[in-house]
Amino acid sequence: DQQVKQNSPSLSVQEGRISILNCDYTNSMFDYFLWYKKYPAEGPTFLISISSIKDKNEDGRFTVFLNKSAKHLSLHIVPSQPGDSAVYFCPNLNFGNEKLTFGTGTRLTIIP
Amino acid sequence: DGGITQSPKYLFRKEGQNVTLSCEQNLNHDAMYWYRQDPGQGLRLIYYSQIVNDFQKGDIAEGYSVSREKKESFPLTVTSAQKNPTAFYLCASSLMGGADQPQHFGDGTRLSIL
């Protein structure tokens, strides 16, 4: 199984600046990661993914970086906007039973 | 527009009653999932189904039941055996089963006990 940890429960960033959300993982055999974003009282929204054949995947203001040697991935949001205030998840992928496990995520607050 | 519809948005139940939460998708996705979210906790998987007429227990299946008679529908029944049913329930679907498949979520149903 892939264990992914988000070590920061919260992050505050000034509007217009870069937001960087981080995750560390344990299992190098499963280098595939997804990021989700969740607003209160709504379901999560799939944001972006990355696989081990890439070091970087970009979609508009969102870029995910994968550092395989450090077993670390990060999501960059540039420039940060008030609508980016949400909880961000990089869930565990359990390939044995084909399910995702969502932790408590990182709450991003963009300060106007 | 394709998507996932959960109904109702708010649901109230008397103690001892069963209640069924609806989840419908028109994305032609094979796999569907039910999660529960409690304050201060992550999403926890209740049940999931990778194909019609088949489903598996997730991490917290006790007190819940599901059916998958049609591809587009995956209703969740919260039974009276579920001792703490008050929570926010989320349904999701993915094109195929598999942990690496992006899941598309509905807007949730908030269940409260009267």
Side-chain angles (χ1 to χ4, degrees):
Chain A
D1 285 351
Q2 178 65 277
Q3 298 295 319
V4 185
K5 264 193 169 181
Q6 291 180 261
N7 295 317
S8 299
S10 63
L11 176 68
S12 295
V13 173
Q14 203 75 34
E15 181 179 357
R17 299 285 182 98
I18 182 172
S19 295
I20 300 176
L21 299 122
N22 297 300
C23 288
D24 295 308
Y25 63 95
T26 59
N27 193 333
S28 298
M29 289 185 62
F30 301 116
D31 286 341
Y32 187 87
F33 304 92
L34 308 102
W35 281 94
Y36 287 80
K37 169 182 175 180
K38 184 182 182 302
Y39 294 116
E42 291 184 13
T45 304
F46 169 68
L47 204 52
I48 194 170
S49 64
I50 190 166
S51 67
S52 58
I53 60 173
K54 290 184 172 183
D55 295 324
K56 171 183 168 181
N57 190 21
E58 192 171 350
D59 183 2
R61 295 184 299 112
F62 301 90
T63 304
V64 57
F65 295 92
L66 182 61
N67 183 334
K68 291 183 279 291
S69 60
K71 296 184 184 177
H72 179 85
L73 71 153
S74 60
L75 175 68
H76 292 210
I77 307 173
V78 181
S80 300
Q81 299 175 354
D84 297 329
S85 294
V87 178
Y88 291 79
F89 298 93
C90 50
N92 289 324
L93 274 63
N94 299 312
F95 287 97
N97 52 15
E98 305 300 337
K99 64 175 186 174
L100 296 178
T101 303
F102 289 82
T104 51
T106 297
R107 181 177 299 279
L108 175 65
T109 302
I110 304 303
I111 304 164
Chain B
D1 285 340
I4 299 180
T5 302
Q6 289 187 243
S7 60
K9 196 164 180 65
Y10 299 95
L11 191 56
F12 299 91
R13 185 190 100 170
K14 292 183 180 178
E15 284 201 44
Q17 280 185 339
N18 292 356
V19 64
T20 298
L21 283 61
S22 169
C23 179
E24 304 278 330
Q25 54 98 1
N26 60 4
L27 299 165
N28 201 31
H29 284 178
D30 283 329
M32 296 187 76
Y33 311 81
W34 274 105
Y35 293 88
R36 167 183 172 140
Q37 185 178 31
D38 294 282
Q41 296 195 38
L43 278 64
R44 293 183 290 168
L45 184 65
I46 304 172
Y47 268 100
Y48 63 106
S49 166
Q50 299 199 34
I51 55 171
V52 175
N53 292 323
D54 186 47
F55 48 84
Q56 287 81 39
K57 292 182 179 180
D59 298 319
I60 54 165
E62 187 174 348
Y64 299 97
S65 66
V66 293
S67 63
R68 188 85 188 278
E69 296 175 4
K70 297 186 296 182
K71 187 176 184 178
E72 59 269 22
S73 179
F74 192 40
L76 173 74
T77 296
V78 184
T79 74
S80 57
Q82 171 49 244
K83 297 306 175 192
N84 186 21
T86 297
F88 186 52
Y89 290 87
L90 285 160
C91 179
S93 70
S94 60
L95 185 60
M96 295 180 289
D100 59 338
Q101 296 295 310
Q103 294 181 17
H104 300 259
F105 284 80
D107 285 336
T109 292
R110 187 167 296 282
L111 175 64
S112 300
I113 300 302
L114 292 177

